[in-house]
C-alpha cells in the first residue's frame, strides 16, 4: 500500500512539537537559594498552596544585620559582664510589680503546672523585659536569613523556617509576614521558636487561638508547659552556691545535666553553703565572677532552664532574677 506524503507544514509542526517535548521545562525563578525545595516540602506535608508559599518567601529579605547579630551573642560574655545585663534594680522592681499586677493568673498557672510563678515572670523578664521588647526583626526575614544564608546553623534554622510556614494560622499572633521577633526568629513574650510553638504552646484562654504576643494566659501557660515537658521538678532546687576547699578536684562539664549525687561533689572538695539533701542529683558550674571564680551546684530545674536557652549564664540569670522577684513580692505572695 502506498502511503501519501505528509504535507510540509504538518511535518514541520510535528518536528517542533517533538523538539519541545524533549526540552526540560525551565526552573521556576526563586528569590532565595533552596526556596523551591522548601516550598515543595511544605506544600507536600501541609497541602498549602505553592504559589502562596512562594509569595511569602519572595517578600522576605536576607538581612546582613541578622547575620551580624548572631555572630556576637550576649552569652559569649563572662558571668561578671552578663549578670549586670539582667540583674538590675529596675528589672527586679519591674518584675515585682509585674508579679503583683498579674498575681491571680500567675499563681493559678503556677499551681496548675507546678512551676513557681516567679520563674515564669523571670523568663519573660529576661526574654522581653516583661513584654516590652519582643524584637524588631521580621520573623520571616530572620528565619530565611539564617536558614538559607547561614551555613553554620542552616540545618536548625531551615527546620524552624519550615515549621513557621507549616503552622496553622491559629497558632500565630498574626499573618506570617507581619510577625516580628528576635534576630533568631523567636517571637512573643516568651520568645518561642516555631517548633516550640508547635510542641509546647498552650491555648490557655480556650479561644481556639494560641497567641503568645497578646494573651497572658497563653503566654504564662506556654512557658510553664515548656518547663514541665522538659522535666521540671515542682518545688525542686535550681542552683546553690558551693564553697571549694583548698584542693578541690577539677570538674569539667559539657552541659548542665545533673551527673552526680551532691555527696560525691562534697567528697571532691565542694561544700554547700545551705542545707541540701546529700543524694540530690547535681552538676557543678564554674563561672567567672567579679571577684574571681564562682562555684555553683546546679540541679534538674537548672538543666530545664537550659533547655529554654542552652547557656548556663542564661539559666543562672533567670534563677537569680526569680529569687529577687520572690523576695520582693514577699513570702505571703510568692509561691514556694
Amino acid at each position: 500500500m502506498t502511503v501519501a506524503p505528509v504535507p510540509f507544514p504538518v511535518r514541520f509542526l510535528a518536528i517542533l512539537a517533538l523538539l519541545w517535548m524533549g526540552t526540560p521545562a525551565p526552573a521556576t525563578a526563586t528569590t532565595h537559594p533552596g526556596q523551591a525545595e522548601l516550598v515543595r516540602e511544605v506544600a507536600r506535608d501541609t497541602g498549602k498552596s505553592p504559589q502562596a508559599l512562594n509569595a511569602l518567601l519572595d517578600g522576605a529579605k536576607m538581612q546582613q544585620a541578622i547575620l551580624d547579630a548572631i555572630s556576637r551573642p550576649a552569652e559569649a560574655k563572662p558571668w561578671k559582664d552578663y549578670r549586670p545585663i539582667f540583674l538590675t534594680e529596675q528589672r527586679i522592681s519591674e518584675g515585682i510589680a509585674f508579679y503583683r499586677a498579674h498575681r491571680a493568673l500567675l499563681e493559678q498557672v503556677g499551681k496548675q503546672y507546678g512551676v513557681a510563678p516567679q520563674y515564669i515572670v523571670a523568663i519573660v523578664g529576661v526574654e522581653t523585659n516583661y513584654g516590652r521588647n519582643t524584637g524588631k526583626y521580621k520573623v520571616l526575614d530572620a528565619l530565611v536569613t539564617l536558614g538559607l544564608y547561614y551555613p553554620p546553623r542552616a540545618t536548625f534554622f531551615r527546620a524552624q523556617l519550615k515549621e513557621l510556614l507549616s503552622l496553622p494560622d491559629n497558632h500565630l499572633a498574626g499573618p506570617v509576614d507581619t510577625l516580628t521577633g528576635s534576630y533568631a526568629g523567636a517571637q512573643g513574650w516568651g520568645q518561642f521558636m516555631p517548633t516550640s510553638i508547635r510542641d509546647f504552646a498552650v491555648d490557655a484562654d480556650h479561644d481556639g487561638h494560641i497567641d503568645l504576643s497578646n494573651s497572658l494566659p497563653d503566654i504564662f501557660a506556654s512557658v510553664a508547659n515548656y518547663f514541665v515537658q522538659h522535666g521540671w521538678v515542682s518545688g525542686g532546687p535550681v542552683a546553690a552556691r558551693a564553697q571549694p576547699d583548698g584542693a578541690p578536684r577539677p570538674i569539667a562539664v559539657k552541659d548542665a545535666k545533673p551527673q552526680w549525687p551532691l555527696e560525691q561533689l562534697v567528697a571532691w572538695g565542694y561544700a554547700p553553703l545551705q542545707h541540701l539533701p546529700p543524694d540530690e542529683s547535681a552538676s557543678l558550674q564554674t563561672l567567672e565572677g567579679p571577684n574571681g571564680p564562682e562555684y555553683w551546684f546546679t540541679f534538674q530545674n537548672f538543666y530545664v532552664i537550659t533547655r529554654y536557652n542552652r547557656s548556663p549564664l542564661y539559666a543562672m540569670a533567670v534563677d537569680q532574677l526569680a529569687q529577687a522577684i520572690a523576695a520582693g513580692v514577699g513570702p505571703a505572695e510568692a509561691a514556694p
Side-chain angles (χ1 to χ4, degrees):
M1 185 176 73
T2 303
V3 178
V6 178
F8 175 76
V10 177
R11 293 201 310 272
F12 180 73
L13 290 174
I15 292 169
L16 284 179
L18 288 170
L19 290 173
W20 178 82
M21 290 173 65
T23 303
T28 303
T30 56
T31 303
H32 307 287
Q35 176 175 328
E37 178 60 26
L38 178 65
V39 166
R40 279 194 294 271
E41 291 176 19
V42 175
R44 178 196 65 212
D45 295 346
T46 67
K48 291 188 176 184
S49 160
Q51 291 78 14
L53 292 167
N54 272 314
L56 276 174
L57 291 169
D58 288 344
K61 297 178 180 177
M62 190 282 283
Q63 293 200 32
Q64 183 61 42
I66 292 170
L67 296 175
D68 295 340
I70 200 170
S71 69
R72 52 174 190 272
E75 286 77 8
K77 300 176 183 292
W79 175 237
K80 64 181 180 179
D81 298 327
Y82 185 88
R83 186 182 189 277
I85 298 173
F86 301 104
L87 273 294
T88 64
E89 289 300 321
Q90 181 176 354
R91 198 172 301 236
I92 292 168
S93 63
E94 289 176 348
I96 294 167
F98 185 90
Y99 188 117
R100 288 174 171 160
H102 306 292
R103 180 171 58 193
L105 177 59
L106 281 164
E107 294 184 352
Q108 173 196 328
V109 171
K111 183 177 180 180
Q112 177 182 351
Y113 287 91
V115 176
Q118 58 264 30
Y119 285 93
I120 301 172
V121 176
I123 286 288
V124 298
V126 168
E127 290 288 347
T128 60
N129 203 8
Y130 310 107
R132 287 197 292 270
N133 180 18
T134 57
K136 64 181 180 179
Y137 298 98
K138 292 188 72 172
V139 170
L140 190 59
D141 287 357
L143 294 180
V144 163
T145 298
L146 297 175
L148 303 181
Y149 294 92
Y150 186 61
R153 298 289 306 282
T155 300
F156 172 78
F157 285 108
R158 185 187 186 279
Q160 298 300 323
L161 174 58
K162 181 179 177 181
E163 194 58 45
L164 177 70
L165 297 172
S166 301
L167 283 170
D169 292 343
N170 69 346
H171 280 52
L172 298 169
V176 170
D177 56 352
T178 67
L179 301 172
T180 57
S182 73
Y183 68 80
Q187 57 192 284
W189 287 31
Q191 294 290 274
F192 272 41
M193 296 297 287
T195 53
S196 293
I197 295 174
R198 178 195 67 197
D199 295 337
F200 309 114
V202 177
D203 175 19
D205 58 13
H206 307 295
D207 66 351
H209 181 202
I210 295 173
D211 188 343
L212 301 184
S213 295
N214 303 290
S215 169
L216 286 178
D218 292 4
I219 293 163
F220 296 163
S222 295
V223 171
N225 186 53
Y226 190 102
F227 277 9
V228 169
Q229 296 302 320
H230 284 84
W232 184 267
V233 178
S234 182
V238 179
R241 194 71 180 263
Q243 178 64 49
D245 64 20
R249 173 175 169 170
I251 296 175
V253 296
K254 64 178 181 179
D255 59 28
K257 192 169 186 176
Q259 301 180 51
W260 308 281
L262 186 62
E263 59 189 352
Q264 179 64 75
L265 293 169
V266 172
W268 286 340
Y270 300 91
L273 299 182
Q274 65 189 73
H275 175 71
L276 292 163
D279 60 349
E280 187 80 43
S281 186
S283 186
L284 187 79
Q285 295 291 328
T286 305
L287 306 179
E288 184 183 344
N291 300 312
E294 294 180 7
Y295 300 92
W296 292 87
F297 298 121
T298 60
F299 305 97
Q300 172 65 17
N301 287 348
F302 186 93
Y303 177 69
V304 169
I305 299 173
T306 67
R307 300 305 86 194
Y308 209 99
N309 179 312
R310 295 186 184 276
S311 168
L313 304 184
Y314 173 91
M316 193 65 73
V318 167
D319 180 44
Q320 294 190 7
L321 180 59
Q323 291 186 54
I325 290 169
V329 170
E333 299 174 79

